Amino acid sequence: MRFAMYVPNFDTFGSVQTLVTLAQAAEAAGWDGFFLWDHLLPDADSAHGPVADPWIALTAIAGATRRLKFGALITPFPRRRPWKLARETVSLDHYSAGRLVVGAGIGGDWWREYSAVGELRDDRTRGDMLDEGLDVITGLWTGTPLTYKGTYYTIEDAQFLPTPYQTPRIPIWIAGVWPGTRPFRRAARWDGIIPTGRTGTPSPNDIRDMRAYIDSYRTATTPFEIVFQGRAHELLAAERGAHVADYAAAGVTWWLEQVWPDVALTEVRSIIDHGPPSPID
């Protein structure tokens, strides 16, 4: 199991300088990754502070660190042009010498991030746009001329160079709400799943069930990541190791230590400086 910090891009974290400083501290403290939320607007019920663009912040983080894996989890593909995202991701993959992970999902309108800008697409439409967007971005990543005709996106004989730094391509982790079907079938085509629970945090047994479901659709033999959003720092110190170990045994390969938007920076630094919550065998 590998460990990463997972922080919002707004309120307490709404400054690129703050995010860079935290990422550098995480690298020094032995964390394996540093991932950001990808939002345009903050949660109106709990946060009202500034918002930092996650992709600008990721570029700054890439330049200020040397070892950490990083990425935006989760980028809603339906509010991005896939060809622009293809160009951005390859550039950032090269700049970081292959440390980028792409998180992909449909997003939601809980915080009016679609409706506030006049976009009112239902979940199924956004799912279709996500699937087409994944086809387009990975087609352009190949570096060969791409012609693509979908319902939402059309490409005519476009060639994007260079290809990604990573081979065979940049890893793609898919978001999904469990129990669900379509997002987890989608994830089986790619490199990882970042699950949330419909009624709460997924349990170790939920992780086993979703892993078995994905395996039933997966044909690739390449590694597949199960990425869990946890908050070990909220547990008693004596309980953390066993809690993390339960998820490791269920198949979790990445533990994302998640903090909320309004947590004090002093507390975040304490969590980071303490280091990853290692499991107890």
Side-chain angles (χ1 to χ4, degrees):
M1 181 185 282
R2 287 185 283 181
F3 298 89
M5 288 299 300
Y6 184 37
V7 304
N9 63 306
F10 53 86
D11 204 23
T12 299
F13 307 90
S15 157
V16 172
Q17 292 87 345
T18 295
L19 293 169
V20 167
T21 298
L22 294 176
Q24 289 175 316
E27 185 165 76
W31 295 82
D32 301 300
F34 192 88
F35 294 97
L36 305 181
W37 300 12
D38 188 339
H39 286 283
L40 293 174
L41 295 171
D43 179 359
D45 294 331
S46 64
H48 305 278
V51 179
D53 182 86
W55 288 88
I56 298 296
L58 290 173
T59 303
I61 288 167
T65 60
R66 294 294 176 266
R67 180 182 53 81
L68 292 176
K69 292 284 189 179
F70 63 90
L73 307 178
I74 300 296
T75 294
F77 269 44
R79 59 174 165 83
R80 299 293 302 274
R81 296 287 189 177
W83 39 87
K84 182 67 165 66
L85 191 58
R87 186 65 81 194
E88 292 168 346
T89 50
V90 170
S91 295
L92 189 49
D93 196 43
H94 277 269
Y95 181 51
S96 66
R99 293 184 286 131
L100 177 66
V101 175
V102 170
I106 66 171
D109 201 42
W110 321 283
W111 303 347
R112 299 183 60 245
E113 292 183 289
Y114 282 103
S115 58
V117 292
E119 297 188 45
L120 296 171
R121 299 187 177 104
D122 61 90
D123 286 353
R124 180 161 293 278
T125 298
R126 290 199 294 268
D128 292 341
M129 294 178 73
L130 170 57
D131 286 329
E132 286 194 15
L134 288 166
D135 288 341
V136 170
I137 193 173
T138 53
L140 291 171
W141 282 351
T142 65
T144 58
L146 176 67
T147 295
Y148 182 91
K149 296 187 184 300
T151 301
Y152 303 98
Y153 305 117
T154 299
I155 305 286
E156 185 174 345
D157 195 29
Q159 183 177 19
F160 276 27
L161 293 171
T163 58
Y165 185 96
Q166 297 179 74
T167 55
R169 56 171 168 74
I170 301 166
I172 295 173
W173 297 349
I174 302 295
V177 180
W178 185 261
T181 53
R182 187 179 181 186
F184 294 84
R185 293 196 303 271
R186 177 183 295 123
R189 295 178 53 205
W190 303 104
D191 309 298
I193 182 71
I194 310 171
T196 55
R198 198 173 301 280
T199 58
T201 302
S203 69
N205 283 337
D206 290 331
I207 297 294
R208 292 184 180 92
D209 289 345
M210 67 182 69
R211 183 181 181 184
Y213 184 85
I214 291 169
D215 285 347
S216 70
Y217 286 92
R218 186 165 173 77
T219 58
T221 58
T222 51
F224 187 83
E225 308 288 0
I226 299 179
V227 186
F228 179 74
Q229 304 165 56
R231 293 185 296 280
H233 66 275
E234 295 180 355
L235 301 175
L236 295 174
E239 299 174 350
R240 292 173 191 162
H243 179 72
V244 174
D246 286 343
Y247 282 93
V252 168
T253 60
W254 273 91
W255 178 283
L256 304 186
E257 188 67 18
Q258 183 182 56
V259 294
W260 298 123
D262 56 354
V263 65
L265 277 176
T266 52
E267 182 178 350
V268 180
R269 279 302 302 262
S270 177
I271 294 166
I272 290 174
D273 293 343
H274 187 271
S278 300
I280 296 173
D281 294 333

